[in-house]
Amino acid sequence: MISKHLNDELNQQITYEFYSSHLYLAMSGKLASVDFAGAATWMRTQAEEERIHALKIMDYIIEAGGEVLITGFEDPKVKAKNIQGIFEQGLEHEKFVTSRINFLMGLATEEKNYSAVNFLNWFVNEQVEEELNADTIIRSLKLIGKDGNGLYQIDKELGARIAVSSTTTQA
Ligand code: FEO
């Protein structure tokens, strides 16, 4: 069983993960509209991953005997207009998600809920990877600057990101 407090906060996290999915989908649309088809594909894949994160938490709540509550959220806003700015906004968002995962981990630890700690460990590792991915892309974009060839090349590389299956929560 999970406590009501942890259950509520996990439900809140489901909302954040679905919001993340919408935000990345909005970024994908924006990138496609400024002719970065590869980066748009990368963002669309990221949106799918976020949806899987939400489903993973949902499955855990059910397994732990809790109650799932799905709620709505505000419209995602893509503030930046260029590719570097969009990835920077993505990184800022991931830092927020990391702070949420750390908060959930703190709560589970405080409650001595070691099953939840074990479950959340996957998200701790995932956040390290997600921040690193965004940071690596931003560093490359900074090096490339306005060089057309470089931008063409990185867009091609981003477009090669392999899509995850949308039917599994094992990602
Ligand atoms: Fe599910 Fe990108 O955090």
Side-chain angles (χ1 to χ4, degrees):
M1 280 298 286
I2 47 174
S3 70
K4 174 151 186 350
H5 189 185
L6 186 55
N7 192 155
D8 288 347
E9 292 295 344
L10 286 169
N11 275 324
Q12 181 63 56
Q13 192 61 29
I14 292 177
T15 306
Y16 284 131
E17 299 292 344
F18 277 129
Y19 174 82
S20 302
S21 180
H22 261 54
L23 179 63
Y24 286 121
L25 208 49
M27 288 177 172
S28 174
K30 179 80 101 183
L31 287 161
S33 74
V34 289
D35 296 328
F36 282 109
T41 297
W42 192 97
M43 285 293 179
R44 191 181 285 220
T45 303
Q46 186 61 34
E48 277 304 300
E49 281 205 6
E50 299 299 352
R51 188 177 158 275
I52 290 170
H53 293 171
L55 297 178
K56 211 174 172 77
I57 298 167
M58 188 171 165
D59 286 348
Y60 176 74
I61 295 172
I62 294 165
E63 276 171 25
E67 202 172 322
V68 172
L69 181 69
I70 301 294
T71 62
F73 44 80
E74 64 190 73
D75 294 345
K77 285 190 182 58
V78 185
K79 296 178 219 146
K81 289 186 171 53
N82 60 48
I83 184 169
Q84 187 183 318
I86 290 173
F87 274 92
E88 281 169 349
Q89 187 186 344
L91 177 58
E92 280 316 298
H93 181 70
E94 285 308 323
K95 285 180 181 170
F96 165 73
V97 175
T98 299
S99 74
R100 276 289 310 174
I101 297 298
N102 289 343
F103 167 75
L104 288 167
M105 185 59 113
L107 189 57
T109 307
E110 211 175 276
E111 293 184 1
K112 295 187 169 43
N113 185 337
Y114 298 115
S115 139
V117 166
N118 194 37
F119 168 72
L120 288 165
N121 252 322
W122 184 90
F123 283 88
V124 170
N125 294 330
E126 178 71 3
Q127 283 312 118
V128 173
E129 197 184 303
E130 299 223 325
E131 285 192 27
L132 180 65
N133 287 343
D135 195 44
T136 304
I137 294 167
I138 292 164
R139 280 166 190 268
S140 298
L141 287 168
K142 278 181 181 167
L143 280 175
I144 291 165
K146 288 186 167 44
D147 176 65
N149 265 342
L151 287 169
Y152 173 79
Q153 203 51 44
I154 196 171
D155 189 54
K156 209 167 138 190
E157 283 167 24
L158 290 170
R161 184 174 182 184
I162 310 285
V164 286
S165 166
S166 58
T167 53
T168 177
T169 58
Q170 303 306 307

